Amino acid sequence: MLNGEFEQTTGGEENVYVHGGHLFIKPTLQDADLINNDTIINLLEDGTCTSKEPSDCIAATNTTVGNATIVPPVKSGRIHTKKGATIKYGRVEVTAKLPQGDWLWPAIWMMPVNDTYGPWPASGEIDIMESRGNDLTYAQGGNDIVSSALHWGPGPSNDAWWRTNVKRRALHTTYSSGFNTFGVEWSQKYLFTYVNTRLLQVLYTNFDEPLWARGNFPEALSNGTRLINSWSHTGRFNTPFDQRFYLILNVAVGGTNGWFEDSRSGKPWIDNNPNTKKDFWNAQDVWLPTWTSPAMEVSKVIMWQQCDGDEEL
C-alpha cells in the first residue's frame, strides 16, 4: 500500500459489521499460523481482491530468508461509496466515535471517482478527518487531535498537502471518548472541514486563485522532466476539486509514511527497515493491551449534493 500500512482489509464480518444500528470497523490480529509458517495469501485467485494492483492482493510469509517476510500482521476494514453515493459539491457528515489503541489510524476521506487529471495526487484527495488511536501522551498527538488535509499536485513528490493541512485538539476530552460529527462543506468557491458544527472549522480553503499557482510547483523534477499543468484547461480555480468524489471510511494500522514518526513514544518499528511488519507483530504484548476500544463506531452518515447551478449551499 502507498502508506505502507500493516493491515489486510477483509470483506468478512470480523472487521466490518453492523450492531445496534451502528457500523463498526474493527482491526483484529492476523491468524498466528499465517505469521509463523510459510504461506501465501492470494486474493486474486478467489476473486475477493478489490484492488487492481497485484501487490495489494498478494502477500506471503517466508521464514527461510535472512530478513523473514510476513503477511500483514493485522486485519481491518475499509468501505466506500464509489458504486453508490458520489457528489460534486455539497456536504458530507459522519458521526463517529474514534478508536482507542496504539498505532491505530482512523480516517474519513474522499477520493475522485475518476482520475480526470492523472494519478494521485493530480486528481485530488479530501481528508475530512484523520487521527491516531494512541492516548494524549503520544508525542505527535493521539486521539485528542484530528487533522484535515487536501492532497493536490502534479505527482507524489510535489504533493502540496502541507499548504492545506490543519489540526484541531479536543477540549478536555478525546475523540474516542464519545461521538463527534466530522464534516466537509464544498463548493466551487471554497472547501472547509469542521467538527460538530460548521462554526468549529478545522481546514478552510478559499479557491480565490488557481491551485497550480498556489502550489508554487517547480518547473521540472530533479531528473529534468518538465512538470505540466494538467489543470489549466478548465479555467477553474478549484481544479482538481471540481469532479465527483466518493466517501471512504477505514481504520488503518501502523504504516511507513511518517504518520507515526520513528523513535517517538516507543514506536516499535523503523519505517525504512525491511522487518517493519515483523517488528510490529513481535511487539504485540506492548500495544495490544492498549486496544481497549479498537473499532471506529459510526452512528450516522449523511451526504448532500449541491443543486446544479448553485454556487452557495
Side-chain angles (χ1 to χ4, degrees):
M1 301 183 68
L2 181 65
N3 295 323
E5 301 157 17
F6 300 155
E7 80 279 359
Q8 169 193 344
T9 55
T10 75
E13 294 186 355
E14 177 183 359
N15 302 111
V16 180
Y17 58 91
V18 174
H19 178 72
H22 288 188
L23 169 69
F24 291 79
I25 303 177
K26 180 181 179 180
T28 57
L29 280 181
Q30 182 64 273
D31 182 347
D33 287 341
L34 301 181
I35 300 288
N36 297 324
N37 301 293
D38 289 351
T39 189
I40 295 178
I41 297 176
N42 190 338
L43 302 181
L44 293 174
E45 290 183 346
D46 60 14
T48 60
C49 192
T50 57
S51 173
K52 297 179 181 179
E53 299 295 330
S55 59
D56 293 337
C57 306
I58 302 172
T61 294
N62 186 341
T63 61
T64 60
V65 296
N67 291 321
T69 60
I70 63 171
V71 299
V74 290
K75 295 175 286 185
S76 192
R78 172 186 293 191
I79 64 173
H80 63 76
T81 67
K82 187 175 184 179
K83 296 182 179 179
T86 67
I87 66 169
K88 174 187 172 182
Y89 309 141
R91 191 184 304 162
V92 177
E93 288 188 350
V94 178
T95 302
K97 181 165 64 172
L98 302 189
Q100 170 76 43
D102 287 355
W103 320 120
L104 300 178
W105 180 358
I108 300 169
W109 50 304
M110 302 182 75
M111 288 290 285
V113 176
N114 300 303
D115 286 338
T116 302
Y117 305 108
W120 186 90
S123 295
E125 174 182 327
I126 302 170
D127 294 338
I128 301 172
M129 184 286 304
E130 291 184 282
S131 187
R132 302 176 181 87
N134 304 64
D135 66 27
L136 51 81
T137 65
Y138 181 62
Q140 288 177 267
N143 52 28
D144 59 324
I145 288 179
V146 295
S147 65
S148 297
L150 300 180
H151 291 265
W152 46 287
S157 62
N158 284 286
D159 176 8
W161 68 273
W162 55 275
R163 297 182 183 273
T164 47
N165 174 55
V166 180
K167 298 178 180 179
R168 175 171 285 277
R169 186 181 299 274
L171 297 177
H172 312 298
T173 185
T174 68
Y175 292 105
S176 63
S177 62
F179 286 90
N180 292 274
T181 296
F182 305 99
V184 60
E185 184 168 305
W186 166 36
S187 77
Q188 188 172 339
K189 293 184 175 181
Y190 62 84
L191 183 153
F192 67 83
T193 64
Y194 56 93
V195 178
N196 294 324
T197 168
R198 295 166 68 238
L199 299 177
L200 289 179
Q201 295 178 3
V202 181
L203 166 71
Y204 186 92
T205 299
N206 194 355
F207 300 124
D208 55 359
E209 65 173 325
L211 279 179
W212 186 271
R214 184 180 300 181
N216 194 28
F217 302 114
E219 292 187 3
L221 299 175
S222 58
N223 62 7
T225 302
R226 190 173 185 84
L227 290 178
I228 303 299
N229 182 356
S230 62
W231 305 334
S232 60
H233 67 280
T234 71
R236 291 183 289 270
F237 288 0
N238 66 324
T239 306
F241 300 102
D242 57 357
Q243 302 294 317
R244 300 197 72 83
F245 277 64
Y246 63 95
L247 180 66
I248 306 169
L249 308 176
N250 74 281
V251 177
V253 182
T256 58
N257 72 335
W259 183 247
F260 299 101
E261 292 183 8
D262 286 344
S263 304
R264 301 189 74 177
S265 299
K267 178 182 170 184
W269 74 94
I270 300 295
D271 286 350
N272 293 327
N273 190 294
N275 292 321
T276 54
K277 290 186 293 185
K278 188 176 181 182
D279 290 342
F280 181 74
W281 171 264
N282 288 338
Q284 65 181 269
D285 288 348
V286 177
W287 52 258
L288 189 58
T290 71
W291 287 20
T292 54
S293 181
M296 178 162 68
E297 182 178 353
V298 180
S299 63
K300 184 186 298 184
V301 177
I302 305 177
M303 302 178 72
W304 293 270
Q305 169 65 57
Q306 178 178 314
C307 295
D308 290 341
D310 291 345
E311 292 187 347
E312 301 288 348
L313 290 175

